[in-house]
Amino acid sequence: MKILIVEDSKLMRRAITKVVVAKGYDPIEAVNGAEALERLQENKPDVGLVIMDWNMPIMDGFEALVKIREDEQYNNVQVLMATSEGIQEDITRATQAGANGYMVKPFTLQQLADKIKELVED
Amino acid sequence: MAEQIVVDNTIINEFVKAVKNVLNITAGEDIEDHIVYLDKSENIPGEISAMIKIDGDLRGNIAVSFEKDYARRITSKIIECDESELSDEDVQEGLGEIVHQVTGKVRTDLWDFGYRFNISVPEIINRPMSQIQTHAITPVHIIVFKASKSMFSVQIDIQEKNIL
């Protein structure tokens, strides 16, 4: 299974990629929401999880989440928002838009690994 | 003499809490102490910096400044790699991530106090805190933190929207 990592910070993409590889999954990367939609299209149906930042240039993670949920071909793709946007209204908005999980930064890489396990293995 | 307009202590305290929280969770770093200065006359620690803009009920700039070696050590802890695997650009990005997470946490925590503001993407500034310009009409707050093996600083150069 492939996991799509959507992060504008190269450093954080590297950190998340390390976790994904350690869990035995294939990472693919995108730097914003628009690129995430392209990577999803290119890699369907292998992508099982998208780990999505919110605050990114060009297209943010929330807009990308909405577009993913509008497209029936991605019904089985889980979306985990991993972001500094921690206001309850944001969490509720993302959950109502179809996010399967929500992590507010700061978090440890172990917490991320546990969340990936919860979403794709349990 | 006219009374000086200063930023609410609640806001400064939230920044202190956020810095301690972010560094503890992401890098396992315990902050031992901190001192708040109301000007930049002190000898402020930090060789490289990262800054983020905020706009809304609070507007201005937040910057963090670390010694290069300390920034490298913290960045290596954040992404759990050896320090030798990090380029200078990686270390700068690490500082950017810290100021982003700190400001994001403050934004979340101040929401309950009625403050609403947006934050920009971080900007890397390859110079020390003492050379970063300030803009707000309120005095700049410099918080100097003491960690186990280094000192670093956070500059809060903001004002509330209703202060002209």
Side-chain angles (χ1 to χ4, degrees), chain B residues 4-6 134-140 157-160 163-164:
Chain B
Q4 195 175 39
I5 301 168
V6 295
T134 58
H135 303 282
I137 60 169
T138 45
V140 62
D157 176 30
I158 59 174
Q159 64 191 54
E160 298 194 36
I163 297 176
L164 298 177

Side-chain angles (χ1 to χ4, degrees), chain A residues 9 11 14 18 85 87, chain B residues 80 85 90 93 107 111:
Chain A
S9 162
L11 191 79
R14 184 167 155 188
K18 182 180 274 192
E85 309 295 325
I87 296 162
Chain B
E80 296 179 7
E85 298 173 38
D90 293 332
E93 274 219 26
R107 176 177 180 265
W111 191 267

Side-chain angles (χ1 to χ4, degrees), chain B:
Chain B
M1 193 169 73
E3 188 178 349
Q4 195 175 39
I5 301 168
V6 295
V7 173
D8 191 324
N9 262 341
T10 301
I11 297 167
I12 303 304
N13 289 339
E14 290 299 336
F15 273 99
V16 171
K17 278 166 50 183
V19 167
K20 291 179 175 179
N21 179 266
V22 167
L23 285 178
N24 182 260
I25 291 176
T26 61
E29 190 75 353
D30 288 322
I31 305 302
E32 296 175 357
D33 202 2
H34 73 274
I35 300 174
V36 181
Y37 297 99
L38 271 175
D39 57 51
K40 295 182 75 169
S41 61
E42 299 294 326
N43 189 16
I44 305 162
E47 296 172 317
I48 55 172
S49 311
M51 188 172 74
I52 209 162
K53 290 181 170 56
I54 65 173
D55 191 22
D57 293 334
L58 299 174
R59 57 177 57 160
N61 302 317
I62 312 299
V64 299
S65 191
F66 282 31
E67 304 299 316
K68 287 178 182 173
D69 288 348
Y70 186 62
R72 181 172 293 274
R73 185 160 65 245
I74 292 296
T75 303
S76 75
K77 288 182 176 178
I78 289 173
I79 68 166
E80 296 179 7
C81 74
D82 193 88
E83 289 179 35
S84 63
E85 298 173 38
L86 295 171
S87 67
D88 289 346
E89 185 189 355
D90 293 332
V91 175
Q92 290 171 342
E93 274 219 26
L95 270 191
E97 190 59 30
I98 289 167
V99 73
H100 189 242
Q101 291 194 18
V102 166
T103 310
K105 178 154 180 55
V106 170
R107 176 177 180 265
T108 299
D109 293 340
L110 285 178
W111 191 267
D112 292 338
F113 292 93
Y115 292 103
R116 308 285 185 264
F117 59 88
N118 294 315
I119 60 180
S120 72
V121 293
E123 175 188 351
I124 306 304
I125 303 169
N126 209 355
R127 56 182 189 270
M129 183 74 82
S130 57
Q131 293 176 18
I132 297 176
Q133 283 190 321
T134 58
H135 303 282
I137 60 169
T138 45
V140 62
H141 287 67
I142 302 286
I143 312 174
V144 175
F145 291 90
K146 182 173 181 291
S148 57
K149 292 180 179 171
S150 187
M151 296 175 78
F152 63 94
S153 55
V154 173
Q155 175 178 288
I156 302 170
D157 176 30
I158 59 174
Q159 64 191 54
E160 298 194 36
K161 186 180 181 179
N162 58 359
I163 297 176
L164 298 177

Side-chain angles (χ1 to χ4, degrees), chain A residues 1-4 25-26 28 36-50 68 71-78 120:
Chain A
M1 188 182 83
K2 293 181 179 178
I3 293 182
L4 174 58
Y25 299 108
D26 293 332
I28 46 177
L37 297 174
E38 292 174 13
R39 295 290 93 76
L40 259 184
Q41 184 68 23
E42 291 163 3
N43 289 277
K44 63 178 183 183
D46 301 327
V47 178
L49 173 66
V50 179
I68 289 170
D71 194 333
E72 287 185 359
Q73 67 180 327
Y74 302 132
N75 278 355
N76 293 325
V77 176
Q78 305 266 322
V120 300

